[in-house]
Amino acid sequence: MLPPPRLVVLLLLFCCDALHAHPGHVHPPEEVDEFDVEAFLSAAAHPFTDLDHWLTMLVAGGLVAMAGRGPGLAMVSAVTAGYVSVFFPTPWLLTLSLVPLGGVLWKGQPMAVRLAGTTVVVIGVLLAALRVSLE
Amino acid sequence: MMVVRQMLAEHSLRPEGERVSLFIERHLFLKRRWQGVAEDGTAFDFDLESRLKNGCVIHQTDDADYVIAQQEEPVFQIATPTVALAALVGWKIGNLHFPVQIGEGFVRVTVDPMIQELLATEDWSYEKARVVFQPLKLPPQVTSPNP
């Protein structure tokens, strides 16, 4: 399926090097310094600064969305899961949250979705196992 | 698992043989909550109220001090024999927004394709080294040299 014409125009804008304000001028990714801000703000930002919390949020949001509960509840669930995950050993939380995701994706979904879901689950479990082995 | 909330001392006063190191990557000095395992296998849970420093003591037993040790990482060490060259190097790398460590006669910067590209176009003397990188971007209490 072709993207809508407006999207094509927008994509072309971002593809054009000449439109960059400063050619050759880059901003390398910076680590969030959690000591630069007050403790509350630091805690609030923490779930958004690590890959494992991001994955947990994606899984929780995806599960709720696939259950047909609507985007609003999916977003609330995702953010809540992100904060709750801070209080648990993340590798195990990831493993446990990815298993039901795999079940939902497997049940009554087209083969492509099943394969994608299985891939997500396998990668998630491998990441969790890697984290466990490193700790 | 032991929970660490703050450093016990900035440096260990015990001899080298009575120190157990917990090696960490530089970016962990910016984080409050993380886990780490010391050389002897002792696991620690960090829930920090204040910053740690390279070389600080986080736990003490009758036999040893457990100290934080920043891991070495690859950097480009660019020679800056003259003030003019140092200014030029600083300006060009600073324009790329990369943090640097400034020393007597050299500037260190992390290994990155953008820096590699810059070095390929400039006639600067440099070498690739593996060091404890302490860039200026970190606050002074973290960048202070080891005792």
Side-chain angles (χ1 to χ4, degrees):
Chain A
M1 191 175 78
L2 291 172
R6 285 180 189 173
L7 184 58
V8 172
V9 172
L10 279 173
L11 288 173
L12 284 174
L13 284 175
F14 285 102
C15 289
C16 184
D17 273 346
L19 290 178
H20 290 170
H22 304 281
H25 182 102
V26 299
H27 289 258
E30 292 182 17
E31 286 281 346
V32 175
D33 186 345
E34 297 181 357
F35 293 95
D36 264 355
V37 292
E38 294 298 323
F40 173 77
L41 290 176
S42 170
H46 182 81
F48 300 96
T49 61
D50 279 326
L51 178 64
D52 44 10
H53 298 307
W54 273 102
L55 278 173
T56 308
M57 284 193 277
L58 280 172
V59 168
L63 278 173
V64 175
M66 292 179 74
R69 301 292 184 182
L73 191 59
M75 187 173 171
V76 170
S77 305
V79 174
T80 305
Y83 283 113
V84 170
S85 66
V86 171
F87 300 102
F88 293 91
T90 42
W92 297 111
L93 191 73
L94 269 173
T95 308
L96 291 174
S97 60
L98 287 170
V99 171
L101 172 68
V104 171
L105 289 175
W106 197 260
K107 189 178 175 185
Q109 298 295 332
M111 184 54 73
V113 177
R114 290 182 187 183
L115 288 173
T118 307
T119 306
V120 168
V121 171
V122 169
I123 291 173
V125 171
L126 286 175
L127 277 175
L130 181 65
R131 281 288 298 270
V132 170
S133 67
L134 291 175
E135 286 176 0
Chain B
M1 193 181 292
M2 271 167 287
V3 178
V4 177
R5 300 204 185 278
Q6 58 188 14
M7 68 170 105
L8 302 179
E10 292 194 4
H11 312 292
S12 174
L13 299 176
R14 292 191 176 190
E16 191 72 36
E18 295 179 13
R19 297 181 200 167
V20 181
S21 295
L22 192 162
F23 288 94
I24 64 170
E25 291 180 3
R26 175 166 51 94
H27 76 94
L28 282 180
F29 284 106
L30 308 177
K31 302 290 182 187
R32 288 179 183 270
R33 294 172 60 92
W34 48 279
Q35 295 174 333
V37 179
E39 281 177 317
D40 66 350
T42 307
F44 293 93
D45 208 348
F46 291 84
D47 187 6
L48 298 168
E49 296 164 359
S50 55
R51 289 180 193 279
L52 297 179
K53 291 172 58 175
N54 187 20
C56 73
V57 180
I58 53 165
H59 180 62
Q60 289 177 313
T61 65
D62 292 339
D63 302 321
D65 277 357
Y66 287 77
V67 298
I68 293 291
Q70 184 182 331
Q71 284 179 352
E72 294 181 346
E73 61 189 290
V75 297
F76 287 121
Q77 184 163 310
I78 305 162
T80 52
T82 66
V83 174
L85 181 59
L88 182 67
V89 169
W91 176 66
K92 291 212 170 186
I93 294 176
N95 204 32
L96 295 175
H97 293 251
F98 278 86
V100 295
Q101 179 181 355
I102 299 171
E104 199 64 46
F106 66 84
V107 168
R108 287 175 180 158
V109 61
T110 47
V111 172
D112 184 276
M114 285 302 294
I115 299 295
Q116 211 146 12
E117 200 175 301
L118 174 67
L119 292 172
T121 58
E122 301 289 344
D123 188 25
W124 296 342
S125 171
Y126 70 94
E127 61 177 345
K128 207 169 175 180
R130 197 170 176 83
V131 298
V132 173
F133 182 53
Q134 298 186 316
L136 288 173
K137 191 174 185 312
L138 290 173
Q141 61 266 37
V142 177
T143 55
S144 60
N146 292 329

